[in-house]
Amino acid sequence: GIQVEQSPPDLILQEGANSTLRCNFSDSVNNLQWFHQNPWGQLINLFYIPSGTKQNGRLSATTVATERYSLLYISSSQTTDSGVYFCAVPNAGGTSYGKLTFGQGTILTVHP
Amino acid sequence: DGGITQSPKYLFRKEGQNVTLSCEQNLNHDAMYWYRQDPGQGLRLIYYSQIVNDFQKGDIAEGYSVSREKKESFPLTVTSAQKNPTAFYLCASSISTGDEQYFGPGTRLTVT
């Protein structure tokens, strides 16, 4: 099945700093999702981005499907940005069509 | 408010007992999913359902069972056959299989 790798595994920032999280995937995908898991475990949808660039406030994401990677940018980070960031891609066909395969996540800690 | 609800938030059971986790959505989504998350890991798919009265095994279905009698509801039963049931369980739904998935708040199950 498809493999998803995220980097870095851990990231520690001072409030106000910018950061870039990376997601590599091993096969062609027709969409990709970025999530933020808050300290209570809730998965918050950040982006649904099969290709191109999207922006939402201080966050933006870019997916280059032909090169099999996606980047999540966080600018002017805040303590509330802390948590785990996951990317996930779906099976494109065959068994478990639509099933999301998750990366291992990036643990982000933002200090005041 | 539209969304996905899971209950209970925390669940404690003795080894050897079956337990059922609830998942309800009022988003009018056809597809629903159950994922399991272990500490420090990404999510893995247990079961999914593309439509009412249909469901398919995911990657780690052994020891679990589901039903999909109503569009809004997709309960998961963790049976005594599941060897390591203690985990965080997340339910998700999407308009149809392969579309953007949205997650409920999760249920933390502890079996002793």
Side-chain angles (χ1 to χ4, degrees):
Chain A
I2 195 165
Q3 307 294 316
V4 181
E5 290 183 2
Q6 291 185 242
S7 60
D10 296 277
L11 190 55
I12 300 174
L13 299 174
Q14 210 61 33
E15 203 167 26
N18 302 330
S19 61
T20 302
L21 283 59
R22 187 176 179 104
C23 173
N24 292 334
F25 40 93
S26 61
D27 207 346
S28 306
V29 298
N30 52 20
N31 71 64
L32 180 144
Q33 289 190 245
W34 280 101
F35 298 93
H36 174 212
Q37 188 167 39
N38 66 22
W40 297 272
Q42 174 85 54
L43 275 173
I44 310 296
N45 287 43
L46 297 177
F47 293 102
Y48 176 75
I49 180 167
S51 63
T53 296
K54 289 188 178 180
Q55 177 133 20
N56 184 2
R58 295 181 296 104
L59 274 58
S60 65
T62 295
T63 296
V64 184
T66 52
E67 297 187 23
R68 300 182 185 170
Y69 72 89
S70 182
L71 301 174
L72 178 69
Y73 305 96
I74 305 174
S75 64
S76 304
S77 57
Q78 300 175 358
T79 55
T80 50
D81 294 331
S82 296
V84 186
Y85 289 80
F86 288 104
C87 69
V89 297
N91 277 22
T95 58
S96 297
Y97 170 69
K99 159 208 143 176
L100 286 178
T101 297
F102 282 76
Q104 294 296 299
T106 292
I107 302 172
L108 175 65
T109 305
V110 181
H111 290 302
Chain B
D1 278 306
I4 304 172
T5 56
Q6 292 185 242
S7 61
K9 199 168 189 150
Y10 298 94
L11 192 51
F12 298 89
R13 279 294 182 268
K14 296 284 187 192
E15 208 172 290
Q17 293 179 334
N18 291 356
V19 60
T20 298
L21 282 58
S22 166
C23 177
E24 305 275 332
Q25 55 96 2
N26 61 3
L27 300 168
N28 201 32
H29 286 174
D30 279 323
M32 296 187 75
Y33 313 80
W34 274 105
Y35 293 87
R36 169 186 171 134
Q37 186 178 29
D38 293 288
Q41 303 292 316
L43 281 67
R44 293 180 292 164
L45 182 70
I46 305 172
Y47 267 98
Y48 69 106
S49 167
Q50 298 186 71
I51 202 160
V52 176
N53 294 321
D54 172 79
F55 50 83
Q56 308 291 333
K57 292 182 180 180
D59 297 325
I60 54 166
E62 187 174 345
Y64 299 98
S65 66
V66 293
S67 62
R68 186 88 188 275
E69 296 174 4
K70 296 188 300 182
K71 188 175 188 176
E72 304 80 22
S73 178
F74 190 40
L76 173 75
T77 297
V78 184
T79 75
S80 55
Q82 168 47 234
K83 291 184 174 54
N84 297 297
T86 295
F88 187 46
Y89 290 88
L90 288 141
C91 176
S93 71
S94 61
I95 293 173
S96 72
T97 316
D99 289 324
E100 184 174 7
Q101 293 186 25
Y102 297 87
F103 284 79
T107 293
R108 291 195 187 275
L109 173 64
T110 303
V111 177
T112 57

